[in-house]
Amino acid sequence: MTSKLNFARLANQMGIEVVIFSMQTEDAITKAIKHETGTLCLPERKKISSRKKWLASGSLIKGELMVDRGAEEALLKHKSLLAVGVTRIVEHFEKGEVLNIVNLDGLTVAVARAKMDSSLLSQSSKKI
């Protein structure tokens, strides 16, 4: 259920309406489209570039980093991620690949394109 809510939140941030519903209901998809069943998650009303939507879609995510609270706050303010804020490389990646950035609770806070591969990042940081 947690992953469904995380994806619903991500879709809402991209301006997409989401309905979470059970397939056990008769005519579930039709009823969900009509908002007759399930939980409706309304989209946020903000403009997001096509590039950011593409990055956030996750279809090409190759790696994952975990960051500390300071790095999380910086990313939420659209600042750059510094190596000092990375606490762990969860999944390795190459330069140029798209990666998921999660906070200490494992929740996605950003999606980015890697400027260096994970092996170089681990060499440049004493915390990892």
Side-chain angles (χ1 to χ4, degrees):
M1 184 64 166
T2 302
S3 62
K4 289 178 189 173
L5 295 174
N6 283 336
F7 282 111
R9 181 175 56 94
L10 182 61
N12 289 161
Q13 290 172 344
M14 292 191 299
I16 300 168
E17 179 180 288
V18 176
V19 179
I20 300 173
F21 62 96
S22 170
M23 288 299 293
Q24 303 303 317
T25 306
E26 187 175 323
D27 298 323
I29 295 174
T30 304
K31 288 181 179 178
I33 291 170
K34 294 178 181 179
H35 301 153
E36 295 173 359
T37 189
T39 302
L40 176 64
C41 304
L42 297 173
E44 292 182 14
R45 301 280 181 215
K46 62 181 182 181
K47 289 272 189 184
I48 297 177
S49 71
S50 296
R51 180 180 183 276
K52 286 187 179 180
K53 285 182 183 179
W54 173 76
L55 282 171
S57 70
S59 61
L60 299 173
I61 291 178
K62 299 292 183 183
E64 186 170 285
L65 294 177
M66 183 172 282
V67 297
D68 62 22
R69 298 284 181 224
E72 177 184 4
E73 289 175 19
L75 288 168
L76 293 174
K77 293 177 184 175
H78 305 286
K79 305 289 183 188
S80 296
L81 175 62
L82 303 176
V84 70
V86 177
T87 60
R88 186 164 69 106
I89 297 171
V90 180
E91 291 180 39
H92 291 276
F93 51 88
E94 301 293 324
K95 179 180 178 179
E97 291 182 330
V98 178
L99 60 118
N100 200 31
I101 302 173
V102 299
N103 63 15
L104 295 173
D105 300 319
L107 299 174
T108 300
V109 293
V111 177
R113 184 175 300 256
K115 292 188 177 180
M116 66 174 68
D117 61 52
S118 56
S119 61
L120 184 58
L121 177 62
S122 62
Q123 291 172 6
S124 67
S125 179
K126 294 176 184 165
K127 289 171 55 175
I128 302 173

